Amino acid sequence: MSKRPISQSVNDEQTIQIEKAVKLLTSTNNEEVYQNLQYLRKLLSLENNPPISQIVAAGAIRPMKMILKKDDEPKLQYESCWALTNIASGSSLETEAVVNEGVVDEFIRFLCFKDDQLCEQAIWAIGNIAGDCARFRDMLLNLDALEKISKVVLQERQITLLRNATWAMANLCRGKPQPALCKIQPALPTIAKLIHHSDSSIVADALWALSWLSDGENRRIQALLDCNILPDIVTKLDADKPDLIVPALRCVGNIASGDEMQTEMLVSTNVLEILRKLLNNVKKSIRKETCWTLSNILAGSISQIQAVIDADLIPILINIIDEEDISIRKEALFAIANGLTTGNSNQIQTIINYNCITPLCKQLQSNLSTNTQITTIIIEAIQAILIHAEKTANTFNSNQFKTEIKNYSYEQLYSLVDKAGLPRPRILQILDILEKDDIDYSLKFYNSIEINQQNDIIDMFD
């Protein structure tokens, strides 16, 4: 979605003719200039392997730039702008060649033109250049390209121009490192309006722009929330159109990763009801991002965790841990672990009652156990269950929890003690809880490890 050439199928031409055509771009005969310019533009528009590098090497960019200055020859300007747009869609070196020749100033100038075709070509070129790298994106932002394109969008223009303008605005909001918020925030109201457009491609690109701008710091999330379009974004999750659901879900996930108040604004909508549907979506990427969003909500406040429980999402997440694709399973593990480590006693018990222990323990025996981060999350979840069992021994059957964990993951917990990078004190604390009332297990574990590790354990629990 970063760069895209304007495509047109034409007959292949001999490369030797390129240099001749480039030389004729400086002719005083405008018709001759037009014919050669069109010839080069058509070569640049070939579907497969357009000869961009040959045309750049022939020195075409400079005369094309001079043609852009001929305001009394809009036909020539359009062909030249189209050709340069396709050069800018090439490799980074070819894009840089366009930038270094100073062509960008002409593209920016065309944004004020009433000619829809020429304005659209300039926008397309700007979008290609912005999509090449963060350095060019920031250069364009410093030239107020985003603000000027947003003004074009607010005018009554052709639908193709509006589509390209929204795409270019999205490119000016994306990339790492992220653009400075102060450079993109003035265009936010315009981008926010575009999510109500009747054209789905415009809505999709506007949502992508919002997702990129709200990624990261809480102040970026707040900038999105201040547009007062959260309910509208949530509505797009229920649109049954993947091209809208994916960027809308990314926006929602970003908000869920914010502070408690920002997450609360999200939970106060009907988002959980829609997320429940998305957990059954046919697209794996959507199910994965939905689990990621829920994991962030389950890392929030007690009331937010309760909202997820009340929405009957916990049993679905547990089922995903037990049955889903490994990448989705991982996100569901984070979600359940967050609920167990962040929730209150009643909430932990509710999650346990949905039979989460067996799926969690099974994951220590799966391919996921080779991932240090995932293993740590599972261990933290198991530890939270056992600590809860210790605290509520008179209320719940805590021995049942211990027995189930021993049956499914005891050997794995032994072996994890020796794995580098894992939280040994946490594992040993779990084993200590499990072995308090079981001398056979204690001796088995103690005798299975090296003398220096035995001393470590004696020191730890002395």
Side-chain angles (χ1 to χ4, degrees), residues 26-50:
T26 58
S27 170
T28 56
N29 184 327
N30 283 341
E31 186 57 35
E32 189 173 45
V33 172
Y34 179 76
Q35 289 175 1
N36 286 280
L37 188 56
Q38 190 177 61
Y39 162 71
L40 293 170
R41 188 265 298 166
K42 287 180 177 180
L43 285 181
L44 290 164
S45 300
L46 288 170
E47 281 278 2
N48 299 312
N49 302 315

Side-chain angles (χ1 to χ4, degrees), residues 40-251:
L40 293 170
R41 188 265 298 166
K42 287 180 177 180
L43 285 181
L44 290 164
S45 300
L46 288 170
E47 281 278 2
N48 299 312
N49 302 315
I52 299 176
S53 60
Q54 294 97 312
I55 291 174
V56 171
I61 296 177
R62 181 163 296 179
M64 286 179 179
K65 174 194 171 183
M66 299 311 296
I67 292 169
L68 294 180
K69 295 179 180 294
K70 297 183 176 183
D71 289 351
D72 57 340
E73 295 289 343
K75 187 169 73 169
L76 292 180
Q77 283 179 314
Y78 176 65
E79 284 291 335
S80 184
C81 195
W82 188 346
L84 287 164
T85 298
N86 277 358
I87 293 174
S89 74
S91 69
S92 291
L93 284 175
E94 290 152 359
T95 306
E96 188 165 17
V98 173
V99 173
N100 289 344
E101 200 60 55
V103 180
V104 170
D105 290 337
E106 296 302 318
F107 294 149
I108 296 291
R109 189 170 70 90
F110 290 156
L111 297 179
C112 300
F113 279 35
K114 297 299 182 183
D115 184 327
D116 276 2
Q117 280 192 319
L118 192 53
C119 182
E120 182 178 350
Q121 283 305 313
I123 288 171
W124 202 323
I126 288 168
N128 279 340
I129 294 168
D132 184 80
C133 64
R135 178 165 62 93
F136 292 160
R137 177 206 66 199
D138 291 343
M139 174 200 68
L140 288 162
L141 288 172
N142 288 332
L143 292 170
D144 297 326
L146 181 59
E147 184 179 354
K148 290 175 181 177
I149 293 174
S150 69
K151 289 178 180 178
V152 173
V153 167
L154 294 175
Q155 302 166 7
E156 292 291 330
R157 309 297 284 261
Q158 292 180 356
I159 188 66
T160 57
L161 187 153
L162 293 177
R163 286 174 184 155
N164 278 309
T166 311
W167 164 78
M169 291 172 76
N171 265 5
L172 286 162
C173 292
R174 72 179 298 190
K176 299 288 185 180
Q178 288 178 289
L181 183 58
C182 64
K183 291 294 184 181
I184 56 178
Q185 199 160 5
L188 255 177
T190 302
I191 298 172
K193 285 181 182 178
L194 289 171
I195 72 166
H196 302 109
H197 203 280
S198 59
D199 185 89
S200 63
S201 67
I202 289 175
V203 175
D205 281 336
L207 287 169
W208 276 116
L210 294 172
S211 75
W212 288 320
L213 113 86
S214 60
D215 181 22
E217 301 168 321
N218 290 349
R219 65 192 183 97
R220 292 179 175 273
I221 296 169
Q222 194 58 48
L224 172 58
L225 292 172
D226 289 343
C227 293
N228 298 316
I229 54 169
L230 178 55
D232 303 301
I233 293 174
V234 171
T235 299
K236 304 303 178 187
L237 293 175
D238 209 17
D240 199 27
K241 294 180 179 179
D243 60 330
L244 299 184
I245 292 172
V246 174
L249 187 55
R250 187 68 57 83
C251 290

Side-chain angles (χ1 to χ4, degrees), residues 234 237-238 249 252 256 263-279 290 293-298 303-314 316-317:
V234 171
L237 293 175
D238 209 17
L249 187 55
V252 166
T263 307
E264 189 60 39
M265 289 182 69
L266 176 64
V267 174
S268 65
T269 69
N270 67 330
V271 70
L272 292 176
E273 177 185 339
I274 300 174
L275 291 177
R276 193 173 193 276
K277 297 178 186 177
L278 293 182
L279 286 175
T290 302
T293 300
L294 288 169
S295 73
N296 282 329
I297 297 173
L298 284 164
S303 64
Q304 290 160 8
I305 295 170
Q306 192 59 46
V308 175
I309 292 173
D310 293 343
D312 292 327
L313 287 159
I314 298 298
I316 302 175
L317 289 167

